Amino acid sequence: MASSSKLNSKIPDGVLENKWTKYRSTVPLVNPANKRSLEVLVVGSGLAGASAAATLAEMGYKVKVFCFQDSPRRAHSIAAQGGVNAAKNYQNDGDSVYRLFYDTIKGGDYRAREANVHRLAEVSGNIIDQCVGQGVPFAREYGGTLSNRSFGGTQVQRTFYAAGQTGQQLLLGAYSALQRQVGMGAVTLLARHEMMDVVTIDGKARGIIARDLISGKLERHFGHAVLLCTGGYGNVFYLSTNAMGSNVTAAWKAHKKGAFFGNPCFTQIHPTCIPVSGDHQSKLTLMSESLRNDGRIWVPKSKDDKRKPTDIPEEERDYFLERRYPAFGNLVPRDVASRAAKERCDAGYGVGTSKLAVYLDFAFNTERYGKIEATKKNIQNPSKDEVMRLGKDVVKEKYGNLFDMYAQITGENPYEQPMRIYPAVHYTMGGLWVDYNLMTTVPGMYALGEANFSDHGANRLGASALMQGLADGYFVIPYTIGAYLSEEIRTKAIPTDHPAFVEAEKNVQETLNKFLNIKGTKSVDYFHKRLGKIMWDKCGMARSKDGLTWAIAEIQKLRNEFWSDVRVPGDANEFNPELEKAGRVADFIELGELMCVDALNRNESCGGHFREEYQTEEGEALRDDENFAYVAAWEYKGVSQFELHKEELKYENIKIAQRSYK
């Protein structure tokens, strides 16, 4: 198959190992004097946005940063608890840049672009050095060296971590770098501002329309380039591990202005979330994947076993991941672990009141750690209680905040009995299509981090989200943006009274007024919950042709009902959270339809996209490499109208094979 003529991935020539090195040595540069007259708008202030803004400002560009939170410190990046990957081989266990590259391609079920993934693996080590230099308190061994732990989909320990709050600590590092530039006047930080639309002039991104969420005032901002660092769209499912404010609006507005959307149906289901407890919930809580490093997942061998988990003897437990995947055990990739847990629950072996949960048990490794500690302390013949007490102290040091969080939410003590977990929506591998430079199909508009599609294929390996966000911001965009801005040095700042800015603001205002004037009978949350149920039931862990066809029709009906019966109280010129939500949910409804269209079009199973019609005899995902080894890049053509463009995926450095973790 040939790639669409509308897509140019701009992958450099040459052997894979040298592409990025050669690119950095030959990419056009902008001299320091010219950088001072070039303006860059960064939308989003999480790891990708904060790192990009700080680095570009350090280089001399004029930067504006927009975040809808009251501070960049509240970006959802803080929720990535478990760690960040890097191919440093500190454990001397055989890790390398190539192995990280290969694990990522394989983990994504061979649906990611080789060149981007190899670049990610190459710069991964620099991320750790950068963050250590910023003072990020990574965990260390007794001798002072940085510690590593295991994550799913790998057989090496390459994950650097800071207890169970790695994302928060990394974000504080990036935030410190950002605030340094704010203090120096190189960055203008606009908190409580939401991007409402992209302004394009002569086909290029030239600015945005933003709304001050406190006053409601619309603002026009010019930029020579616009960077979207706005995260993923998991909240299309309503219940997810994402913060309630996480949304798709910036990316979707860009999509409607010409940016193609890549692989929208590729969403990740995380296997270790606290199960749903009732209709009152607005979000789900993630228990970090790092817990699978020391925990063992199991269900009773008997259906509807009502005994306490601690009363079920070892021989009556089914450690189903270890049974099915002996080579990787509990550390299989997230999509594999999630489907296996769902299969056991669907078969009637689930635990808890809902029967939609499995156990994550720390007793085995708590005892192992306790014996090690007893030996270190020269305690001879310690009792079982003493061993468990010593082991508990080790587990508490490594995962204490996660255990405390579980206890606060469930009222159960995870040190004394196993946690109950079940899969939930977590991350989105799909996003705006970008080329090697991270530029979308709209010149001058870039997408970084989870907002783009580029690095994870059909399934993201754990601890790779932080890696990608920081790689894009600190080490990729500072080089690649020069290829574009070197051609823009003669472009003077365009006044914001330009007709394109006036028209864009007018359209935004009309949409806001429309929301307020519908005066229907149903709340925004009512429609969001209905959309979420449709998406989870028909485009969640399992999909089918009939289910997706039904979902598309239902979403179209839901959209019509939303625009005729939603009730948005208050006014546009004031602090109005319901108005904010209305715009985001309107975009989620349109995106949800495209996700189902994409899932229906992809007649195969791969990674997190599991079509029930396409599976092996053992219930594993069955790819169709002959017909679907491509990135699906969708062009917006109007309401419910999308045109598919294909970017062929060529694998010249690895052999495509059926994934096996056995």
Side-chain angles (χ1 to χ4, degrees):
M1 102 197 37
S3 295
S4 167
S5 60
K6 289 191 176 183
L7 299 175
N8 181 0
S9 60
K10 298 181 181 177
I11 297 172
D13 295 328
V15 297
L16 184 66
E17 294 82 1
N18 297 335
K19 288 182 187 293
W20 179 235
T21 301
K22 182 179 179 181
Y23 177 96
R24 286 183 301 163
S25 302
T26 57
V27 66
L29 301 176
V30 181
N31 82 48
N34 286 332
K35 285 174 182 171
R36 290 193 288 270
S37 62
L38 291 171
E39 301 182 50
V40 180
L41 306 183
V42 179
V43 184
S45 59
L47 283 179
S51 59
T55 308
L56 293 175
E58 184 79 36
M59 294 170 70
Y61 294 107
K62 295 165 64 177
V63 179
K64 280 185 183 177
V65 177
F66 302 81
C67 67
F68 67 76
Q69 300 95 342
D70 60 350
S71 166
R73 290 174 298 173
R74 294 189 184 274
H76 189 58
S77 299
I78 66 167
Q81 305 152 330
V84 54
N85 288 330
K88 279 186 168 290
N89 195 31
Y90 278 6
Q91 302 294 324
N92 197 28
D93 54 3
D95 202 9
S96 65
V97 167
Y98 182 85
R99 194 176 293 277
L100 175 53
F101 157 72
Y102 177 78
D103 286 346
T104 304
I105 291 285
K106 177 184 176 183
D109 218 353
Y110 304 94
R111 290 295 177 262
R113 187 191 287 155
E114 266 194 348
N116 286 63
V117 175
H118 196 276
R119 176 176 64 188
L120 177 66
E122 285 182 71
V123 305
S124 64
N126 298 340
I127 295 170
I128 306 304
D129 298 339
Q130 169 91 2
C131 295
V132 168
Q134 291 174 337
V136 172
F138 286 119
R140 295 179 180 267
E141 302 293 351
Y142 180 77
T145 56
L146 295 179
S147 181
N148 294 116
R149 59 189 178 199
S150 299
F151 260 64
T154 72
Q155 291 180 306
V156 297
Q157 288 183 262
R158 64 163 66 101
T159 303
F160 296 78
Y161 63 98
Q165 49 184 264
T166 312
Q168 181 174 356
Q169 296 301 330
L170 291 173
L171 184 62
L172 288 173
Y175 172 73
S176 298
L178 174 63
Q179 286 299 116
R180 175 174 180 268
Q181 297 301 322
V182 172
M184 294 173 65
V187 171
T188 300
L189 176 60
L190 296 163
R192 290 290 195 184
H193 279 67
E194 182 164 23
M195 190 196 101
M196 306 300 288
D197 205 358
V198 177
V199 178
T200 57
I201 300 174
D202 297 328
K204 294 183 177 181
R206 291 302 191 194
I208 68 170
I209 304 298
R211 181 170 180 264
D212 182 330
L213 297 180
I214 301 298
S215 67
K217 179 185 175 183
L218 295 181
E219 301 175 359
R220 308 169 190 173
H221 296 272
F222 165 79
H224 289 89
V226 178
L227 277 55
L228 301 183
C229 311
T230 50
Y233 49 88
N235 274 355
V236 68
F237 293 89
Y238 186 71
L239 283 179
S240 79
T241 66
N242 290 190
M244 282 302 292
S246 299
N247 63 85
V248 76
T249 287
W252 193 251
K253 299 307 185 191
H255 175 56
K256 295 176 82 167
K257 281 294 180 73
F260 293 2
F261 214 104
N263 297 332
C265 79
F266 285 174
T267 54
Q268 179 164 85
I269 313 297
H270 198 295
T272 56
C273 297
I274 298 178
V276 177
S277 61
D279 294 337
H280 64 282
Q281 281 183 273
S282 58
K283 77 175 298 293
L284 299 175
T285 303
L286 171 68
M287 290 288 99
S288 169
E289 180 170 304
S290 61
L291 297 177
R292 287 202 279 152
N293 181 43
D294 285 325
R296 300 179 72 191
I297 296 172
W298 62 277
V299 292
K301 288 184 177 179
S302 301
K303 292 183 179 181
D304 199 28
D305 194 321
K306 291 184 170 56
R307 289 177 291 178
K308 293 180 180 179
T310 51
D311 292 338
I312 300 176
E314 190 75 12
E315 62 273 13
E316 296 181 35
R317 301 179 179 187
D318 177 15
Y319 295 93
F320 57 91
L321 292 178
E322 299 171 36
R323 168 173 56 82
R324 291 179 60 175
Y325 310 103
F328 283 72
N330 296 294
L331 291 175
V332 292
R334 291 174 175 177
D335 61 314
V336 176
S338 294
R339 279 195 296 275
K342 180 178 184 295
E343 184 276 330
R344 286 291 80 192
C345 292
D346 289 349
Y349 296 93
V351 301
T353 54
S354 68
K355 302 301 180 185
L356 292 176
V358 299
Y359 289 128
L360 177 58
D361 196 335
F362 279 79
F364 180 83
N365 276 308
T366 298
E367 184 174 356
R368 181 173 67 87
Y369 284 133
K371 290 178 179 177
I372 294 172
E373 288 299 299
T375 300
K376 286 161 61 175
K377 296 176 184 297
N378 199 28
I379 300 174
Q380 303 295 325
N381 300 315
S383 66
K384 178 71 176 288
D385 288 345
E386 195 168 14
V387 166
M388 296 304 287
R389 180 183 59 78
L390 291 169
K392 177 182 173 182
D393 290 340
V394 176
V395 172
K396 191 169 186 176
E397 183 178 350
K398 296 179 74 172
Y399 309 109
N401 64 316
L402 300 175
F403 276 57
D404 292 345
M405 186 163 58
Y406 182 88
Q408 290 171 5
I409 291 172
T410 64
E412 300 171 0
N413 186 343
Y415 292 107
E416 297 178 356
Q417 59 185 9
M419 293 181 180
R420 286 175 292 106
I421 58 169
Y422 192 71
V425 173
H426 177 55
Y427 187 91
T428 51
M429 285 77 67
L432 294 177
W433 184 92
V434 293
D435 62 18
Y436 189 75
N437 296 336
L438 304 184
M439 189 189 288
T440 69
T441 46
V442 176
M445 186 192 301
Y446 296 80
L448 282 64
E450 192 179 357
N452 73 38
F453 87 97
S454 67
D455 291 357
H456 307 297
N459 173 68
R460 178 175 67 77
L461 293 183
S464 287
L466 300 180
M467 177 174 62
Q468 185 204 352
L470 291 176
D472 286 356
Y474 282 137
F475 301 110
V476 178
I477 198 66
Y479 287 99
T480 63
I481 200 170
Y484 176 76
L485 291 180
S486 63
E487 300 293 326
E488 295 296 316
I489 57 178
R490 294 179 180 84
T491 302
K492 304 300 181 184
I494 299 173
T496 55
D497 59 0
H498 186 284
F501 279 93
V502 175
E503 179 69 16
E505 181 181 329
K506 175 173 168 288
N507 292 337
V508 170
Q509 189 64 60
E510 288 177 351
T511 300
L512 295 174
N513 293 340
K514 188 174 181 180
F515 284 131
L516 295 166
N517 291 331
I518 294 172
K519 300 187 185 304
T521 63
K522 304 291 195 307
S523 70
V524 175
D525 283 341
Y526 167 83
F527 290 100
H528 197 177
K529 287 180 180 179
R530 280 181 56 190
L531 173 67
K533 181 166 176 52
I534 294 170
M535 294 300 297
W536 177 249
D537 289 347
K538 305 303 180 184
C539 197
M541 290 187 69
R543 297 111 185 248
S544 69
K545 178 180 179 181
D546 291 344
L548 291 165
T549 302
W550 177 88
I552 292 169
E554 285 298 302
I555 292 172
Q556 291 173 351
K557 286 193 290 186
L558 183 68
R559 181 181 62 238
N560 293 335
E561 188 178 337
F562 174 86
W563 283 105
S564 62
D565 198 27
V566 72
R567 182 178 183 275
V568 180
D571 188 73
N573 299 315
E574 64 180 5
F575 177 63
N576 190 341
E578 287 301 305
L579 182 57
E580 294 172 37
K581 286 195 295 184
R584 297 166 187 169
V585 172
D587 294 330
F588 275 139
I589 291 173
E590 294 183 0
L591 167 69
E593 181 180 1
L594 177 58
M595 290 171 65
C596 293
V597 168
D598 186 38
L600 183 61
N601 176 78
R602 190 170 282 276
N603 292 321
E604 65 164 354
S605 290
C606 56
H609 168 65
F610 190 73
R611 281 283 296 271
E612 294 173 336
E613 305 95 326
Y614 307 102
Q615 55 181 299
T616 67
E617 291 182 0
E618 297 175 320
E620 305 293 351
L622 183 62
R623 294 195 322 269
D624 181 352
D625 295 322
E626 183 176 348
N627 296 303
F628 292 96
Y630 63 75
V631 178
W634 294 90
E635 180 180 6
Y636 183 81
K637 305 294 269 187
V639 178
S640 296
Q641 298 178 47
F642 307 96
E643 181 180 347
L644 174 62
H645 302 274
K646 300 176 182 178
E647 179 198 342
E648 180 184 3
L649 292 170
K650 297 179 181 179
Y651 294 99
E652 301 172 349
N653 297 273
I654 59 172
K655 181 181 178 182
I656 297 181
Q658 191 67 31
R659 279 195 309 173
S660 174
Y661 293 95
K662 298 180 179 181

